[in-house]
Structure formats: structure tokens, C-alpha cells
Amino acid sequence: MQANAFTMQANAFTMQANAFTMQANAFTMQANAFTMQANAFTMQANAFTMQADAFTMQADAFTMQAHAFTLSGIAKFNSLRINEMLYLVKK
């Protein structure tokens, strides 16, 4: 009878040790989850920064396109004036 009691007590200690191990694993998993969440927030912040940079680049591209249209218009106007001058010289 006493041997059974010692066996049951040993099993109880083993189960308690397993429970502590499981609890430690749970804390590790929770810490990993917090780390992953922090990383996700960092990545989201970086994405917002990149999105703002992309909008700035897009605005710069539109400005450059507007300048290109302006230069194209000036070039066409100058070409017409040159053609007119050449026509007048030929007369």
C-alpha cells in the first residue's frame, strides 16, 4: 500500500513538473506572439512611410510630366515661328 502511495506521489510530481514545463512553454509562446505583434506594427509603420514616399514620387512624376508638356508646347511654338521665318525668307 505504501509503495502505491509512493508511486502515486511520484506520478503527481511528474505531472506537476510537466505542468510547469507546459506553463513555461506557454509563456515563451506568449512572448513570441508579442514580438511578432511588435514586428507587425513596425512593418505597418514602414508600409505607411513607404506609401507616403510613393505618393511624393507620384506627385513629382506629375510635376515632371507637366514640365514636359510645357517644354513640348514651347518647342512646337518655336518650330512654327521658325517655319514662318523660313517661309518669309523664301518669298
Side-chain angles (χ1 to χ4, degrees):
M1 190 90 147
Q2 192 176 8
N4 285 342
F6 285 135
T7 301
M8 288 175 64
Q9 190 175 19
N11 288 341
F13 285 139
T14 301
M15 289 174 67
Q16 190 176 17
N18 289 342
F20 285 139
T21 301
M22 288 175 68
Q23 190 175 18
N25 290 341
F27 285 137
T28 301
M29 288 175 68
Q30 190 175 19
N32 290 341
F34 285 136
T35 301
M36 288 175 68
Q37 189 175 20
N39 290 342
F41 285 137
T42 300
M43 289 173 67
Q44 189 175 20
N46 290 341
F48 285 136
T49 301
M50 289 174 68
Q51 188 177 23
D53 292 344
F55 285 138
T56 301
M57 289 175 69
Q58 190 175 18
D60 291 344
F62 284 136
T63 301
M64 290 176 70
Q65 190 176 20
H67 290 165
F69 283 135
T70 301
L71 289 174
S72 176
I74 292 170
K76 286 180 184 177
F77 178 74
N78 286 341
S79 177
L80 290 173
R81 288 188 61 199
I82 291 169
N83 285 341
E84 182 183 1
M85 291 169 65
L86 289 173
Y87 176 76
L88 292 175
V89 168
K90 286 183 184 178
K91 263 184 152 180

